[in-house]
Amino acid sequence: MERNHFLAKAGTLLSASLMFVTLNAFSQLSPESNGNTRPDLTYKQLHSSTLSEQPGLFADGLKLKLDLSVLDEVEEDRFEFDPDAIPADDIYGGMWGNRYVNTYGDLKNAPDTFIVDLENFTMPVDGYMTSNFGRRGSRRYHYGVDLKAQTGDTIYAAFDGKIRVKQYERRGYGYYLVIRHLNGLETVYGHLSKFLVDENDFVQSGQPIGLAGNTGRSFGSHLHFETRFLGKPINPNFIIDFQKKAPHKEEYLVTNSSYRKTSNSSRVVVKSNMDNTVATASASTNRTPAKNANTNKYVSGEVNYHRIRKGDTLGAIAKRYGTSVNKICSLNNITPRTTLRVGNSIRIS
């Protein structure tokens, strides 16, 4: 009986020894082993209760950057445009022609309404309006606005986009460009003297695209500027405040009413900053001056503006022009904390 008891104990000790040897051998396997065992896991989950003295760490053991600007950069990268792609391709149904301003005809599946982002707008030229959107006589219609510019003045892209048309039209636009923008709009730049870009070039808002001129059906150096959506002209005054040289709002809602025409003449009154003289023009045959000559809200030659550049502050702008921050804020209906957007213009007097 004692012999059987001894053998039972010996068997138990032997089994335990074999198990220990097996486990020890398993633990000695290196990560480079060709066996079927998984390499040792070096990462261990950290619990928040043990991390009270390590700021920025969470229970999953990951250290997070709390600077929200990182998230903004990621968001911007997500929407970065591919220069080889076609802007707003889904809206325009894949149509991309390099010959005409309106190449779309009656485009099917056009949206009834569309929101256009206007945040990165740049004035195409720093000149006041010389002719408005509207009728010219009884047979012609002016589908854009004319902005004062001397031959050779630099013309800038209004928004980010891609050059769709680069053409010459002898009896119309002269040398002109059409840009399809990322926001869905298209803009037209007419009567140029020189191109600085080519078809299918990707351009950014504020990038030089050409030089002003007097080509085509033009009776003096200026820039003819149009805003269109799906080929249809929209009165640029609906979108841009040419007095402030900035969009009315950060977004514009395109609806059927956006395409409405006006019975008003395209002729406007221009007040010169140089000699304070007033030039009048009228569509009527007797050339009678317009009654509201001095109050036309689209004429901006009577006030001064500053175009915002990188690094500008309200304090620096006020000092430069010999005015105060409070006065600038009052003129522009802003506060000292308002963010200044590069490319926009603010009134300084």
Side-chain angles (χ1 to χ4, degrees):
M1 178 137 182
E2 290 180 357
R3 183 172 178 275
N4 291 338
H5 184 65
F6 174 78
L7 291 175
K9 280 187 175 184
T12 300
L13 290 172
L14 180 61
S15 299
S17 299
L18 290 174
M19 182 175 293
F20 174 80
V21 171
T22 302
L23 290 174
N24 188 56
F26 175 82
S27 66
Q28 295 301 315
L29 285 174
S30 64
E32 292 76 23
S33 172
N34 294 326
N36 295 325
T37 56
R38 186 177 65 178
D40 287 345
L41 187 63
T42 57
Y43 171 84
K44 293 184 180 180
Q45 184 170 345
L46 303 177
H47 196 275
S48 58
S49 62
T50 66
L51 302 173
S52 59
E53 297 180 358
Q54 301 183 50
L57 289 174
F58 290 81
D60 59 1
L62 298 177
K63 188 168 185 177
L64 302 180
K65 292 183 178 179
L66 300 182
D67 185 1
L68 296 181
S69 64
V70 175
L71 299 180
D72 294 336
E73 293 174 3
V74 171
E75 195 70 16
E76 290 176 3
D77 290 341
R78 179 183 299 177
F79 292 101
E80 185 176 352
F81 180 69
D82 179 3
D84 295 326
I86 297 176
D89 192 34
D90 52 339
I91 304 168
Y92 285 81
M95 300 182 70
W96 181 262
N98 301 122
R99 187 65 184 90
Y100 301 106
V101 172
N102 184 3
T103 190
Y104 308 111
D106 295 326
L107 187 65
K108 297 180 179 179
N109 302 320
D112 293 330
T113 61
F114 185 79
I115 297 177
V116 178
D117 182 3
L118 306 173
E119 283 196 274
N120 73 336
F121 170 76
T122 299
M123 272 292 289
V125 67
D126 192 26
Y128 54 83
M129 186 187 297
T130 59
S131 185
N132 211 337
F133 182 94
R135 296 192 176 279
R136 283 190 170 173
S138 59
R139 297 183 179 181
R140 296 180 58 235
Y141 201 92
H142 193 227
Y143 288 105
V145 298
D146 291 343
L147 301 174
K148 181 61 178 175
Q150 299 296 331
T151 297
D153 285 354
T154 304
I155 305 301
Y156 304 94
F159 303 98
D160 295 346
K162 201 168 187 177
I163 306 297
R164 183 172 69 80
V165 179
K166 174 188 173 184
Q167 290 288 344
Y168 175 73
E169 187 178 276
R170 184 170 64 89
R171 295 184 178 180
Y173 293 112
Y175 291 106
Y176 74 99
L177 294 167
V178 179
I179 303 179
R180 168 92 63 82
H181 299 291
L182 305 189
N183 60 14
L185 279 183
E186 288 194 328
T187 50
V188 182
Y189 310 78
H191 309 309
L192 303 178
S193 62
K194 185 177 181 179
F195 296 124
L196 300 180
V197 290
D198 290 317
E199 285 180 358
N200 304 316
D201 279 356
F202 176 72
V203 294
Q204 294 182 319
S205 177
Q207 178 176 331
I209 56 174
L211 302 181
N214 187 26
T215 59
R217 188 183 178 91
S218 173
F219 302 97
S221 180
H222 68 280
L223 172 70
H224 174 82
F225 178 71
E226 296 181 11
T227 51
R228 292 176 176 253
F229 183 69
L230 298 172
K232 300 177 182 178
I234 298 175
N235 187 340
N237 295 297
F238 294 165
I239 301 172
I240 302 161
D241 184 335
F242 287 97
Q243 213 171 10
K244 294 184 177 180
K245 303 185 180 181
H248 294 289
K249 297 181 179 180
E250 292 185 352
E251 294 179 340
Y252 175 73
L253 179 64
V254 179
T255 65
N256 287 331
S257 63
S258 298
Y259 312 120
R260 69 180 183 272
K261 292 185 178 181
T262 176
S263 59
N264 295 333
S265 169
S266 65
R267 306 296 182 181
V268 298
V269 176
V270 181
K271 178 175 284 189
S272 171
N273 274 335
M274 300 299 294
D275 54 10
N276 291 324
T277 58
V278 177
T280 60
S282 173
S284 62
T285 56
N286 59 9
R287 314 298 291 178
T288 303
K291 292 182 179 180
N292 62 343
N294 296 321
T295 59
N296 191 301
K297 66 180 181 179
Y298 298 124
V299 178
S300 59
E302 59 194 27
V303 294
N304 293 318
Y305 292 86
H306 172 78
R307 187 175 180 182
I308 299 170
R309 300 176 179 84
K310 187 175 181 180
D312 275 352
T313 64
L314 286 175
I317 295 171
K319 184 177 180 180
R320 177 178 177 180
Y321 292 97
T323 184
S324 67
V325 172
N326 288 338
K327 184 175 181 180
I328 293 177
C329 290
S330 177
L331 288 171
N332 295 277
N333 194 26
I334 60 176
T335 71
R337 295 184 178 181
T338 299
T339 300
L340 301 181
R341 300 186 182 280
V342 175
N344 285 355
S345 295
I346 59 173
R347 184 175 173 179
I348 49 91
S349 67

